[in-house]
Amino acid sequence: MRWWPVFKKEMRLYFGSPVAYVVGTFFLVISGWFFSQILLFYNMSSMQAAMQPQMAQSLNPTEGILRPLFSNMAVVLLFFMPMVTMRLFAEEKRAGTLELLLTYPVRDGEILLGKFLAAGALYVLLLGLTLLYPGMVSYFARVEWGAVMTGYLGLLLLGGTFLAVGILLSSMTENQIVAGFATFGILLGLWVVGWGADFAGGTLRTVLQYVSITDHMDSFSKGVLDTKDVVYYVTAMAFALFLALRSLEAKRWKG
Amino acid sequence: MIEVDRLTKHYGPVTAVQDVSFTVEKGTIVGFLGPNGAGKSTTMKILSCFMAASGGTARIAGFDVFSQSMEVRRRIGYLPENAPLYPDLPVAAYLDFVAEIKGVPRRARRGKVAEVMERCFITDMQRRLIGKLSKGYRQRVGLAQALLGDPEVLIMDEPTIGLDPKQIAEIRALIRSLAGQHTVILSTHILPEVSMVCDGVIIIHRGRIVAQGTQSELVEQVFPTSRVAIEVGAPAEAVEVALLGVPGVLRVAVQETRDGAASFVVEASRGHDVRGDLARLVTSRAWPLLELHQVGMSLEEVFIRVVAGEEAAESAESVETPTATAEVA
Ligand SMILES: Nc1ncnc2c1ncn2[C@@H]1O[C@H](COP(=O)(O)OP(=O)(O)O)[C@@H](O)[C@H]1O
Ligand SMILES: [Mg+2]
């Protein structure tokens, strides 16, 4: 497989430019801030619970800390993932390097895979650093690591889908800023359709709920692994990457 | 080595190349000459397997660029117009990436990268970021990446565009040094470049091939006669009649007459060097022979002739004349 050199090149470009550091710092700082707020709120609730024993029943660290943490991180990702992918194809199209890349003896799919995996690796690295937060919780409370891992699997799938959509948009324009904003717009759209579900009824409600990219994250953050949600993310990811491949192919016809 | 047959490419309603056919022999350097917008880049992009043609076929080393693209890609080195590279990578790291993606085995990679850097004189620049290099050095890095993987065929799109005269001379010498080991097709809109670097010429104009062959073949093809300029210190009419009497002379045109002297252009059939006979004739009449020389038919005249008609003027402008780049020679 020739995706490896492309992967290495992209990693080098991520860490040779400010992108990885800026995205990484802001991502960690913002999710860290959410984490501390959630923790403070949880602290307050548990102090109240100490005074009202009947409330303590409903209080557990998974529900009270991890679940809100995961859904907040999903929102943070919505802002940061487009920055990770916007450059990948758009910049190569603008600079003309894609023309050269597409004449090397590698399949288009391998180029795509190399870029997707590089973005994925950067994301996994950032996500790995956030394991610090559940780690801190484990010092003063019992953490259900199974639930944590399920949540992280959800974040992985969600983020991977964001990246695939971002790569698709990046392959469709020569302007990385346009690619970034379009990705953000589409992801935001896929997120807010879920809100529409609350007001719709019948089939429409089901459809809207299914399409909503963040609704599928919910069961993961509760520590529940649902095949339906895994299938949703994997399908969405594969579909976006397939379209990106077609967009590269179209480039070969248009020149 | 390269066989192109009735290649056609449409960009939507625009036809960029139409029924382009030519062949390039193994080990030769062929110049693909044409004014801007003639369809040079389009042809190069198809040959390099970047872009699909709308019609016709192209084969490199016997493999079809479309249906056997991987086989072709393993055998070519491509340098697109303006050498697009990654500005944020250092030279050596970039070349290592190219070597790896071209499938140069891990162990041979370092050596091969060092070798192409040596050949393109960029060894001293290997740690520099590509974005910090001058245009001339970037062009050499582009050439170095094309050479990686020991391709049989090199495809270069305007390799000297945007360079200063010194850099142009260096790049040309570099390309010239590749002759024999590689088959090279390079596009250019600069006439003298073809004379200096290439063995053969293909002239493309408005998407169509208008002439092809070696330079002397083209000259013969387009100008079937050879020409001699002569100036004699005698009345024009008498000299003209005398000159027409020389065997092999087809036509005599008076250029200029002044104070008892006249200059002519004598056209003779090719293969006849009439200069000796003309000199003898003039001296036998006791006329002073003021000037006598062969008028060389340059590629430029060929170019202007084939790209004739109303476009001649506009084409001559877009093609740099030899004087404009004379300091390069
Ligand atoms: N991607 C494209 N889309 C539309 N038209 C194009 C495209 N590329 C080139 N052309 C047109 O095709 C013609 C040939 O272009 P090109 O092959 O770049 O010429 P050259 O390299 O000889 O200057 C020109 O008229 C140009 O405007
Ligand atoms: Mg061009």
Side-chain angles (χ1 to χ4, degrees):
Chain A
M1 278 301 253
R2 295 271 171 87
W3 59 268
W4 177 244
V6 177
F7 174 85
K8 274 202 303 190
K9 186 208 87 180
E10 295 305 339
M11 288 313 266
R12 216 188 155 110
L13 287 180
Y14 274 134
F15 289 99
S17 74
V19 182
Y21 307 106
V22 170
V23 169
T25 307
F26 278 97
F27 179 67
L28 290 177
V29 166
I30 293 175
S31 40
W33 188 78
F34 276 125
F35 173 69
S36 61
Q37 294 305 302
I38 291 163
L39 216 56
L40 284 176
F41 183 77
Y42 183 77
N43 249 353
M44 238 160 57
S45 319
S46 45
M47 277 193 299
Q48 284 171 352
M51 289 177 266
Q52 295 158 295
Q54 72 273 22
M55 249 186 84
Q57 312 284 309
S58 63
L59 209 67
N60 73 67
T62 306
E63 266 301 292
I65 301 176
L66 294 178
R67 194 175 162 200
L69 177 65
F70 286 135
S71 39
N72 277 310
M73 267 160 77
V75 177
V76 178
L77 287 178
L78 192 69
F79 287 89
F80 285 105
M81 290 293 98
M83 290 186 211
V84 172
T85 48
M86 63 185 193
R87 198 202 79 238
L88 289 175
F89 279 108
E91 184 56 19
E92 295 231 26
K93 287 176 91 169
R94 191 198 57 78
T97 46
L98 187 63
E99 176 173 342
L100 197 47
L101 194 56
L102 290 177
T103 65
Y104 292 141
V106 279
R107 276 189 285 273
D108 296 0
E110 292 169 319
I111 293 173
L112 183 67
L113 189 66
K115 284 177 181 274
F116 177 63
L117 291 180
L122 179 64
Y123 173 52
V124 168
L125 198 71
L126 291 184
L127 213 51
L129 290 174
T130 65
L131 276 172
L132 202 65
Y133 309 141
M136 279 158 72
V137 177
S138 73
Y139 269 106
F140 57 84
R142 198 182 59 81
V143 171
E144 293 172 56
W145 283 104
V148 171
M149 286 307 136
T150 312
Y152 270 89
L153 177 67
L155 282 180
L156 214 55
L157 288 168
L158 178 82
T161 306
F162 285 5
L163 294 176
V165 171
I167 283 186
L168 168 63
L169 270 302
S170 184
S171 76
M172 290 166 66
T173 169
E174 295 195 351
N175 185 325
Q176 51 172 325
I177 304 299
V178 169
F181 275 100
T183 307
F184 177 68
I186 287 182
L187 295 180
L188 194 65
L190 284 175
W191 182 37
V192 299
V193 287
W195 302 351
D198 298 342
F199 308 104
T203 335
L204 185 63
R205 184 191 178 95
T206 322
V207 170
L208 289 181
Q209 264 174 347
Y210 191 75
V211 169
S212 171
I213 204 161
T214 38
D215 275 15
H216 291 273
M217 186 58 212
D218 215 38
S219 52
F220 286 108
S221 31
K222 280 186 281 195
V224 179
L225 189 66
D226 191 335
T227 332
K228 168 173 106 345
D229 301 318
V230 176
V231 167
Y232 170 85
Y233 285 127
V234 171
T235 314
M237 223 180 295
F239 185 60
L241 290 177
F242 168 75
L243 289 182
L245 198 59
R246 298 309 300 262
S247 148
L248 286 184
E249 199 179 307
K251 173 102 182 123
R252 285 193 183 276
W253 287 99
K254 285 184 305 201
Chain B
M1 188 51 66
I2 305 176
E3 304 147 275
V4 176
D5 187 30
R6 279 166 294 153
L7 207 61
T8 298
K9 177 72 189 182
H10 309 286
Y11 294 109
V14 181
T15 301
V17 295
Q18 175 89 53
D19 291 321
V20 162
S21 303
F22 61 86
T23 59
V24 176
E25 295 304 321
K26 191 176 167 66
T28 56
I29 301 188
V30 166
F32 203 59
L33 178 67
N36 289 322
K40 302 183 295 296
S41 295
T42 301
T43 310
M44 302 281 137
K45 285 175 189 186
I46 295 170
L47 287 181
S48 64
C49 305
F50 163 61
M51 194 167 71
S54 316
T57 58
R59 303 175 81 79
I60 289 182
F63 297 102
D64 186 275
V65 294
F66 185 70
S67 60
Q68 295 164 301
S69 143
M70 281 299 161
E71 293 299 327
V72 173
R73 292 197 231 168
R74 275 191 258 279
R75 289 169 175 81
I76 59 165
Y78 177 43
L79 176 58
E81 199 165 353
N82 297 316
L85 305 167
Y86 303 102
D88 298 328
L89 288 182
V91 172
Y94 168 66
L95 292 175
D96 184 68
F97 156 69
V98 176
E100 189 172 7
I101 206 169
K102 283 191 176 185
V104 175
R106 189 179 181 73
R107 257 178 260 168
R109 222 151 64 212
R110 193 179 277 268
K112 289 287 179 193
V113 168
E115 183 192 315
V116 295
M117 287 197 297
E118 200 80 19
R119 271 173 92 181
C120 298
F121 307 103
I122 48 174
T123 309
D124 295 344
M125 300 289 161
Q126 57 180 305
R127 309 232 170 278
R128 294 259 193 110
L129 287 184
I130 293 171
K132 301 256 185 265
L133 296 179
S134 71
K135 184 92 176 55
Y137 270 107
R138 254 180 284 157
Q139 201 72 23
R140 293 193 215 177
V141 175
L143 202 55
Q145 68 77 31
L147 288 172
L148 278 168
D150 296 321
E152 295 167 54
V153 174
L154 290 171
I155 300 166
M156 301 185 222
D157 197 0
E158 309 241 16
T160 60
I161 201 168
L163 301 184
D164 66 38
K166 185 165 165 287
Q167 296 168 335
I168 290 177
E170 287 165 356
I171 292 287
R172 283 182 187 160
L174 201 54
I175 295 171
R176 198 57 248 180
S177 74
L178 302 173
Q181 310 163 53
H182 307 269
T183 304
V184 182
I185 178 165
L186 67 87
S187 81
T188 179
H189 67 283
I190 303 165
L191 272 161
E193 188 151 294
V194 175
S195 330
M196 278 178 250
V197 181
C198 305
D199 306 312
V201 198
I202 297 161
I203 301 180
I204 184 170
H205 182 57
R206 299 202 165 165
R208 290 171 186 275
I209 303 287
V210 287
Q212 59 180 308
T214 64
Q215 285 180 57
S216 52
E217 274 168 16
L218 283 193
V219 171
E220 277 174 39
Q221 208 175 303
V222 177
F223 300 103
T225 60
S226 72
R227 297 178 191 202
V228 172
I230 183 168
E231 189 174 358
V232 180
E237 299 77 27
V239 179
E240 189 175 349
V241 174
L243 292 178
L244 275 170
V246 174
V249 170
L250 302 173
R251 233 185 329 259
V252 174
V254 183
Q255 296 299 101
E256 206 186 325
T257 55
R258 57 180 149 77
D259 7 293
S263 58
F264 309 86
V265 169
V266 176
E267 272 185 59
S269 49
R270 224 164 243 294
H272 264 97
D273 192 347
V274 294
R275 282 176 298 180
D277 292 340
L278 293 179
R280 270 187 290 282
L281 168 81
V282 172
T283 40
S284 73
R285 301 281 177 96
W287 290 330
L289 179 58
L290 302 176
E291 195 180 343
L292 175 67
H293 64 90
Q294 184 100 41
V295 181
M297 285 300 130
S298 69
L299 193 56
E300 187 180 12
E301 284 160 294
V302 171
F303 188 84
I304 290 169
R305 178 68 68 91
V306 294
V307 179
E310 83 240 36
E311 307 129 42
E314 122 202 358
S315 305
E317 266 165 40
S318 69
V319 167
E320 288 176 35
T321 58
T323 44
T325 50
E327 68 271 37
V328 181

